[in-house]
Amino acid sequence: MKFTVSLKENRVFRRLYAKGKSAVAPTMVLYCRRNGRRQSRLGLTTGTKLGHAVVRNKVRRRLREIYRLHEDRFAPGYDIVVVARVRAVHSSYAVLERDFLRLAKKLQLLPSQEGKKP
């Protein structure tokens, strides 16, 4: 991820949950808020309900890769937190990608560039 830094601080996550905008899909919840910087920050949350560490790490890797592949389409200057739900464990990569991009569009993180193909 060349345009993005990882979110790691608990207070930033809590502020996003409290004051950020959110959108919900069966596989994940996406929170976002402007951060006043040039670059975006991405945080991933996978609770123990999802399964053991191997399962949680697999979901995190998939979500991080989805973001990485579409990173250049995202508007810069946002804090983004993705909270994985239990359905994310059993969902295919294509379903996760579809939900992620749909939620990002709903929160206006993806500027409309219909003519541009990746």
Side-chain angles (χ1 to χ4, degrees):
M1 296 187 298
K2 56 185 170 186
F3 304 119
T4 307
V5 178
S6 292
L7 268 181
K8 300 209 187 279
E9 297 174 353
N10 189 19
R11 62 183 176 84
V12 179
F13 279 84
R14 285 194 320 246
R15 184 176 55 216
L16 260 167
Y17 296 144
K19 297 183 179 182
K21 295 189 299 182
S22 65
V24 180
T27 57
M28 67 187 79
V29 181
L30 195 71
Y31 294 90
C32 73
R33 184 171 190 234
R34 286 197 79 47
N35 63 14
R37 301 168 188 227
R38 288 188 197 154
Q39 58 190 357
S40 292
R41 299 188 294 184
L42 178 69
L44 300 171
T45 303
T46 53
T48 54
K49 276 185 178 181
L50 270 62
H52 297 292
V54 173
V55 174
R56 294 193 308 266
N57 288 334
K58 180 180 177 182
V59 172
R60 271 196 295 267
R61 283 194 310 269
R62 284 178 163 191
L63 292 173
R64 196 176 299 115
E65 180 66 5
I66 290 167
Y67 180 80
R68 186 188 72 82
L69 291 175
H70 300 282
E71 183 180 22
D72 57 336
R73 295 173 50 196
F74 278 77
Y78 279 91
D79 287 343
I80 302 166
V81 169
V82 182
V83 180
R85 292 178 145 186
V86 177
R87 275 195 177 168
V89 174
H90 306 292
S91 298
S92 68
Y93 181 87
V95 170
L96 289 174
E97 185 174 34
R98 183 195 67 208
D99 285 350
F100 192 93
L101 294 176
R102 188 169 47 84
L103 294 179
K105 199 172 289 186
K106 185 175 181 182
L107 292 172
Q108 298 165 350
L109 293 173
L110 294 174
S112 57
Q113 300 173 342
E114 296 303 321
K116 184 180 178 184
K117 291 283 182 182

